[in-house]
Amino acid sequence: MPLDEAAARVLASSSSMGSLITIAKHGSLPGRLNAVLAIKEAVSRDGAFVDLADDKIVDALLVIIKALIRLQAAMVATYHLASSDERVAARSVSEKALVVLDAMHASEKGRASARGHALAMPVLVKKMFRVSDVATKLCRRHRSLGSVKGGAGETARTVRRKPTVGTGRLDRLDDAMEKFKHMIDIGVPLDTAVYGCLIQGQCNRGDLVKAKELISDMLSKGIPPPCIKFFTSIINNLCKEGRVAEGKDIVDLIIHTGQRPNLITFNSLVDGYCLVGNMKEAVGLLDSMESVGVEPDIYTYNTLVDGYCKHGRIDDALTLFRDMLHKRVTLTSVSYNIILHGLFQARRTVVAKEMFHEMIESGMAVSIHTYATVLGGLCRNNCTDEANMLLEKLFSMNVKFDILTFNIVIRAMFKVGRMQEAKELFAAISTYGLVPTILTYRVMITNLIKEESFEDADNLFSSMEKSGCTPDSCILNEIIRMLLNKGEIAKAGHYLSKIDKKGILPEATTTSLLIYLFSVNGKYREYIKLLPEKYRFLREQTAVDNCI
């Protein structure tokens, strides 16, 4: 396996296939397994030579499927039998299952079995607008389980048809609604699963009127509505897409079912409003929560404080943070990390330091991420002496640093001109049992170039490669751009060669800079010969420009 054409011809002959069928039905367990694999291989080949209408093959496969022996191979073979001479290897598992289901309906026994199974119709409805256009067309054919005709041959013709142009998931929702109405007409029992699938589709489409009608319909029939978790999941997805207003409208659907939105529901909405910058609506949800008896938790408040900080409203963030203390909300290190980061970003350094001391005095355990936030903030705001004091204090306390902390502090040290200390800190990483990451090297190398310590930058890059840390496109392109802007054309050419060896393409900004610097009026056009040969096309472009 797999077979070539000659072997397939022999295997598919009447005598060979007869032997395989006999083994598949009556042989030993290993023999039956191998026989099914052989049948699968023969019938699933392009241009197979097997008589696909042979009932003996179908019977043998049916025995195997019922016995759950080598089920996948048997199902694949069944699929190809069901789809006749249409062999499409890329069909999804769901499509294959639907094709097999269609083939089942070719017999009265199969139709009776489908009618007697409570999940048959729900599966068709659910898969109709979730799988593909082929599946949708296949499901459309099953207008009634009592009148299915044609079986495998008709399935093949359906699969072979070209999908309708423009058909999408929302179009399939309409097909599902059509099937749903047909189910009602023929008296098929409906349940929460069927209604839930359609309600979700209408909510995602934004048609809450139809979603509400479906809920009213199921309630009138005594069918239990979807649970609160179901609606909260839809709200969460809508909020992540920025469709927060639609998410909030679904709360009305929850109430319409006789249920009450819970804490997770409201937190999803708070997160969504903060994401889109609508802090008025986000904070207003606190009153809505109180009105239905839902108590905000620390996640609710943390999200609101973070939202204020990210949108430049640091005073509002501070006010809310103080309110949390007055309401005796149990703060966490995450709560302090959020407000400290916001204060340092807003250059409210004095307040940030006071807040950090409050945190320590409260007896709360200070995490390494909090130390990293404070150290980085102090350095960015030119409080490097205090940053160094804190760093030394941490070293003496034997606090276990992670590499993220080192990256933050090294970057901050460079930013405020403490180059030597940054180098020393980098050299100390290994003494703590840590290994520099690609980000650590990027911070170091780019800052060394910025300080025009080109030799040190080259040496560190070589050390990075020797350590097994592979340079990526980001660091290489950034190095090239910085060297070009510094006028170090030969060195930039050296790193361009590295990009070529790795098969990496220069980023758009790198290419644009090359064209700008080496064009006819370019600053460095006379040094173009220092670049690798493949980049000297710019010289030819210059000649063309001169002629024009």
Side-chain angles (χ1 to χ4, degrees), residues 235-405:
I235 290 172
N236 188 49
N237 289 335
L238 290 173
C239 288
K240 286 179 178 178
E241 295 175 4
R243 299 163 61 187
V244 193
E246 294 175 53
K248 189 177 181 183
D249 288 340
I250 292 178
V251 174
D252 294 334
L253 290 182
I254 296 174
I255 296 171
H256 185 64
T257 65
Q259 302 177 84
R260 188 181 70 173
N262 62 17
L263 179 61
I264 300 174
T265 310
F266 280 110
N267 281 345
S268 295
L269 289 170
V270 170
D271 197 25
Y273 277 121
C274 290
L275 182 67
V276 298
N278 192 340
M279 295 306 300
K280 182 179 179 180
E281 288 289 342
V283 175
L285 286 169
L286 293 177
D287 294 330
S288 300
M289 294 171 75
E290 185 179 348
S291 68
V292 296
V294 176
E295 188 75 21
D297 66 354
I298 188 61
Y299 180 86
T300 315
Y301 286 110
N302 284 347
T303 303
L304 289 169
V305 172
D306 189 48
Y308 276 134
C309 291
K310 285 180 177 176
H311 292 93
R313 297 174 59 176
I314 191 64
D315 289 324
D316 290 324
L318 268 174
T319 300
L320 182 57
F321 191 86
R322 296 298 183 193
D323 285 344
M324 291 164 65
L325 293 172
H326 295 150
K327 292 178 180 178
R328 299 188 181 280
V329 176
T330 303
L331 300 177
T332 64
S333 61
V334 175
S335 308
Y336 278 101
N337 290 351
I338 291 170
I339 192 67
L340 286 170
H341 180 73
L343 287 166
F344 280 121
Q345 285 290 97
R347 299 193 176 280
R348 303 282 286 274
T349 311
V350 174
V351 182
K353 289 188 285 186
E354 290 174 354
M355 188 72 72
F356 181 54
H357 290 304
E358 284 180 22
M359 179 184 182
I360 295 173
E361 290 170 4
S362 71
M364 182 177 295
V366 182
S367 69
I368 192 63
H369 299 295
T370 306
Y371 283 123
T373 299
V374 174
L375 285 168
L378 289 171
C379 291
R380 284 194 302 273
N381 288 278
N382 297 321
C383 303
T384 50
D385 289 337
E386 292 174 85
N388 282 329
M389 288 173 59
L390 179 58
L391 200 55
E392 291 301 323
K393 180 181 177 181
L394 293 177
F395 288 151
S396 66
M397 292 167 58
N398 292 321
V399 175
K400 188 175 181 180
F401 273 48
D402 62 7
I403 195 62
L404 174 64
T405 307

Side-chain angles (χ1 to χ4, degrees), residues 399-515:
V399 175
K400 188 175 181 180
F401 273 48
D402 62 7
I403 195 62
L404 174 64
T405 307
F406 277 101
N407 292 347
I408 290 172
V409 178
I410 289 171
R411 182 188 286 112
M413 289 284 189
F414 272 116
K415 189 168 185 179
V416 296
R418 306 291 288 264
M419 183 175 169
Q420 186 56 38
E421 288 156 307
K423 289 181 179 179
E424 291 172 0
L425 196 58
F426 175 79
I429 289 176
S430 60
T431 64
Y432 288 86
L434 299 173
V435 178
T437 64
I438 186 68
L439 179 59
T440 317
Y441 283 111
R442 184 177 178 183
V443 170
M444 285 295 299
I445 293 171
T446 54
N447 277 286
L448 288 171
I449 293 173
K450 191 181 296 183
E451 298 294 329
E452 298 190 354
S453 299
F454 302 120
E455 186 176 348
D456 289 344
D458 286 341
N459 291 337
L460 188 55
F461 189 92
S462 297
S463 297
M464 177 181 68
E465 290 185 305
K466 290 175 183 176
S467 71
C469 186
T470 305
D472 58 14
S473 175
C474 291
I475 188 172
L476 285 167
N477 275 277
E478 188 171 4
I479 289 171
I480 291 166
R481 289 193 295 270
M482 292 185 74
L483 289 171
L484 288 172
N485 283 319
K486 290 283 187 180
E488 294 292 324
I489 311 305
K491 289 185 179 297
H494 171 68
Y495 285 98
L496 279 169
S497 298
K498 288 183 177 291
I499 275 188
D500 295 339
K501 288 178 182 177
K502 292 181 178 295
I504 300 173
L505 291 175
E507 293 173 356
T509 48
T510 306
T511 302
S512 297
L513 183 60
L514 283 166
I515 293 172

